Amino acid sequence: MDVWSDGFFYVNEKGHVAVKPVSEGELSVDVTDVIAEALAEGSTLPLLIRFQDIISSRVRRLNHKFRDAIAEASYDGEYRSIYPIKVNQLHEVVAEVLEAGKEFNLGLECGSRAELIAALPLVGDVHLLLCNGVKDRTMLNLMLNAQVLGQQVLPVIEKYSEFEQLMSLADQRDMAPRMGVRVKLSTRGSGRWFESGGSGSKFGLTVPELMHMVHELERRGIADKLELLHFHLGSQIADIQVLRAAVREITQMYADLCLRGLQIRFLDVGGGLGVDYGGDGDNPESSINYGLREYANIVVFAVKEICEERGVQTPVLLSESGRALTAHHSMLVVPVLGVHRPDSPPMSQMPVDPHAVVKRMRQVSDAIKNIRNIGMLFEVFHDAQEIREESEQLARLGYLPLDHLAQTDSLYWTICREVLRLLQIEDLNPPPNEQLELERQLTDLYLCDFSVFQSIPDHWAIKQVFPVMPLDRLDEEPTRRAQLVDLTCDSDGKISEYVSSNANRSWLPLHNFKQGEPYYLGIFLVGAYQEILGDAHNLIGRVGEVHVYASADEPGNFWIEEVIKGISIKEMLSQVQYFPNDLDRRMSELIRQKIASGAVKPAEGMRILNNYVKRLDDFTYCDADSSPGQVSP
Ligand SMILES: *Cc1c(COP(=O)(O)O)cnc(C)c1O
């Protein structure tokens, strides 16, 4: 927790997860209090909690690290963050980033038509707005309009044809457009998104294209309109040395262009500043080998050194860090609905005349009580395995009735549970294969009220890990091994890897779930990319959310600024072209026919109809109180 929480989350004296959302302050908010307040204000579970202060804390932290580095390096210039809104476009999130970034001159980046249209009114005429990605004539026109208004909007040219199109539109208006350019570097990214950079990348001009563009601008006498040089290595840069190499490469290009007489003001090192989801330094898939300070130092010092060597003016530094600004601010609260415990199968009554295999299994299960050494333990376990195989084979051939098979199966799992318990007491190092296998097979399935596809799609799509932990009872030892499964009818709808200090990350230590007692898990660091990438598998849709601000003047040190309801069944269904009126009409027709035929009484029929119609306003998640409960006793 110390590693991934970045100082924002900790366990308080009550054994609850608490948050210190204001990084410079000690103000602490108990997450359990936030949930209670949210429910009292009409929120439903699962619930996304946004700690708005964490957004501003991250914005300040990043900018302060750059200010420190700039001071330390005596860098003659400033740094500005550019927030790429694709990471989290929610208006309140962008507004919070902008508000916190005001004093740092923070700007925005957009990458599509809709994002451009969302961002244009937000930036006023002081803050930079960069537009990457594919830009058609409509978008280029919008950007030229913005430049006419005096807004600091720069199209970042990624394809030569975009440059040609921009020039022809500007010619029609008789204006000289401001612009930036993204270049393909020879330095390749590292980590999962390395394909965003390098010469094979889908984005950016090659060096010959860049020079062609520069010649054309010079020919037109408007070379000063090329104001920004940009590269982007890809998200979640795993290895900081790769960033250093890329910064050096682009700074050399910058220096060359300056020496040619161009007046490039901005050097934009793109996004990719990583977040330490896994907290295990050696796994580049989920972790990073640097912090904000080192990132800022590397950028500032590398640019300064080369500018000095080449005798050119230092540029304004930009980074398009998105994930690093928003990942921490939101967490998902997920109730546990029920538990399947493979180690506690229901024991039915012994058949009157048990089959020989049943008797043998019974003997093994009795024998386990008299185990005196580890050798005997393995012997008993292997016997049980053999008898189980035999009984399954007999059943397949029709020689073992179902109630006898049920008996051997239940006895087998009870034996397994006992063997595992004894092996764990032995605590052999390294643990024998039998133990690892039993731990895997005897892991509980905790059914949770959420959808992996909606709320943490990157876990499903690219095996991104997210920290998960109980939100209370953290002063109580967790005694169960659990795997979390979601509501979808999809075997991929589960969390298959956990952030944990266990050698085996396929399960999470959890407390025993008691039916009727709420048990909430938190899934953390979900503020970047997950919301908009999330999909509606099984028509399980957007969750409800609350926006929380910390305040020393409020009970519990917080207040809820906004409650947003989750998507209703009615809204969800209309996205796939089912409409309430039509559903209502069809259902009443069906019920009227049943009434007419005498299959149900009119009052009963109407009750059934009303109940159906009311459900259209429900949310797409389960109610904890009508949940399946203890899936197996
Ligand atoms: C996606 C993207 C970013 C954001 O990257 P993070 O890893 O979230 O910091 C920045 N710049 C460009 C061009 C992008 O496409």
Side-chain angles (χ1 to χ4, degrees), residues 88 99 103 122 208 302 333 367 369 390 445 483 527 592 623:
N88 193 322
E99 179 63 29
E103 58 174 306
L122 296 182
V333 179
K369 297 184 185 102
E390 197 181 324
L445 297 180
Q483 187 175 61
R592 270 174 228 294
D623 300 333

Side-chain angles (χ1 to χ4, degrees), residues 481-544:
R481 279 182 317 282
Q483 187 175 61
L484 309 188
V485 294
D486 75 2
L487 296 178
T488 63
C489 307
D490 190 315
S491 53
D492 278 355
K494 64 180 180 199
I495 300 186
S496 45
E497 190 183 344
Y498 299 89
V499 175
S500 111
S501 48
N502 293 326
N504 183 344
R505 292 168 161 248
S506 66
W507 50 268
L508 186 70
L510 285 184
H511 303 101
N512 192 21
F513 173 66
K514 297 172 203 154
Q515 196 64 52
E517 259 178 48
Y519 188 53
Y520 298 147
L521 304 177
I523 305 180
F524 293 85
L525 309 188
V526 296
Y529 296 106
Q530 303 316 299
E531 291 163 37
I532 213 73
L533 286 178
D535 64 47
H537 196 2
N538 270 143
L539 299 183
I540 296 170
R542 211 186 58 236
V543 303

Side-chain angles (χ1 to χ4, degrees), residues 84 86-87 109 132 182 230 232 235-236 271-273 320-323 529:
K86 77 159 186 277
V87 180
E109 186 262 5
N132 286 308
R182 174 162 171 175
H230 162 63
H232 174 61
S235 210
Q236 193 70 353
L273 172 52
E320 300 175 351
S321 310
R323 187 187 292 275
Y529 296 106

Side-chain angles (χ1 to χ4, degrees), residues 542-563:
R542 211 186 58 236
V543 303
E545 59 182 76
V546 288
H547 302 174
V548 174
Y549 282 93
S551 162
D553 302 332
E554 301 288 340
N557 292 334
F558 74 94
W559 58 284
I560 293 179
E561 182 234 17
E562 186 162 15
V563 177

